[in-house]
Amino acid sequence: MTQNIYDDPAFFEGYSRLGRSVQGLAGAPEWPALQAMLPPLRGKSVVDLGCGYGWFCRWAAEQGAARVVGLDVSEKMLERAITTTADAAVSYARADLEQLELAEAGFDLVYSSLTLHYIVDLAGLLAAAYRALTPGGKLVFSIEHPIYMAPTHPGWVADAQGRKTWPIDSYQIEGPRSTNWLAEGVIKQHRTIGTLLNLLIAAGFVISHVEEWGPSAEQLLARPELEEERDRPMMLLVAAQR
């Protein structure tokens, strides 16, 4: 079953205080880049894998999507999403993404934000996403960048002059990584960039855009704390088409 760390009370409390939890899409600095990768949504059917609080689901409905389905394994996340959503076009359901079952050719867009790095059977999930898309439909997702995820003890290291580096080890050793982020023992699944892209290709997708996200000059002026994101990529953004 998909790891359900978000229902851990300590983790959920910490997560609820993050900027992207409080401000929604506006609090996610990678959102403008992700938004630019999305197709027009008017009249379309959309599914959000790992929908969290439902920020994207509500946004998609505002763009005119005819049907938006948000799926998450966390009951706490879904409870928050349901209580903050009034649009009849949006529905939510609890789902284990390790055993995802979706109607064949039922969606025009499969979207996922910072969820796929928790999935052990990513090949199975991508195959399910491919089957769920209409011909020409798109998959757009963000995932923690393999450079960010690879270290067995992730974190900045500063030298005597205060210059920070992000040391990488075990990059070619794929598999689980345990980190203490908001709670102890958060498990993520590290894969190389090559493995990730080849899994998409094996599932049948045609990759249309890959972005190793970093802040824009405008974002740095507004949020100087993002400067360190230029030293190593934290997120990988991908768009692919059936």
Side-chain angles (χ1 to χ4, degrees):
M1 183 174 182
T2 304
Q3 181 185 208
N4 189 11
I5 192 67
Y6 287 84
D7 275 349
D8 176 277
F11 188 97
F12 185 80
E13 175 62 25
Y15 184 84
S16 68
R17 294 195 297 267
L18 297 178
R20 64 181 63 234
S21 298
V22 176
Q23 303 171 37
L25 299 177
E30 77 280 7
W31 168 242
L34 266 176
Q35 185 179 356
M37 297 160 61
L38 295 169
L41 297 184
R42 182 160 298 280
K44 303 299 185 181
S45 292
V46 178
V47 62
D48 182 356
L49 307 182
C51 64
Y53 290 171
W55 291 106
F56 176 79
C57 293
R58 291 187 290 275
W59 178 86
E62 291 169 0
Q63 306 311 303
R67 180 172 67 112
V68 185
V69 178
L71 302 178
D72 207 292
V73 72
S74 167
E75 292 180 350
K76 287 183 178 292
M77 289 289 189
L78 290 171
E79 181 181 359
R80 181 73 63 87
I82 291 169
T83 58
T84 53
T85 302
D87 197 315
V90 181
S91 63
Y92 299 101
R94 191 164 188 248
D96 179 2
L97 299 185
E98 294 282 5
Q99 303 177 38
L100 184 65
E101 294 184 8
L102 296 171
E104 186 170 348
F107 296 94
D108 304 293
L109 171 67
V110 175
Y111 176 86
S112 185
S113 173
L114 298 178
T115 296
L116 301 189
H117 47 260
Y118 294 116
I119 303 302
V120 176
D121 184 15
L122 186 57
L125 177 58
L126 293 176
Y130 185 86
R131 292 192 299 269
L133 283 169
T134 56
K138 291 192 73 173
L139 167 69
V140 176
F141 67 88
S142 64
I143 189 171
E144 286 192 0
H145 196 290
I147 285 177
Y148 181 78
M149 240 193 310
T152 51
H153 300 285
W156 295 103
V157 174
D159 63 16
Q161 288 71 44
R163 293 173 298 192
K164 295 191 304 182
T165 58
W166 185 267
I168 300 174
D169 65 271
S170 307
Y171 182 82
Q172 296 285 359
I173 303 174
E174 300 184 324
R177 297 291 192 272
S178 179
T179 61
N180 297 329
W181 177 65
L182 301 180
E184 293 187 2
V186 179
I187 307 298
K188 302 171 185 177
Q189 302 297 325
H190 165 64
R191 298 173 176 88
T192 66
I193 293 177
T195 292
L196 178 62
L197 299 183
N198 285 329
L199 284 173
L200 285 162
I201 294 169
F205 285 103
V206 175
I207 299 167
S208 56
H209 187 82
V210 177
E211 181 169 340
E212 297 174 288
W213 181 83
S216 67
E218 293 76 16
Q219 286 178 313
L220 288 174
L221 286 174
R223 298 179 59 181
E225 72 275 12
L226 291 176
E227 178 67 37
E228 69 179 17
E229 301 303 334
R230 303 178 73 185
D231 292 327
R232 59 96 180 88
M234 180 181 178
M235 285 172 277
L236 188 69
L237 316 182
V238 180
Q241 190 165 352
R242 174 170 175 170

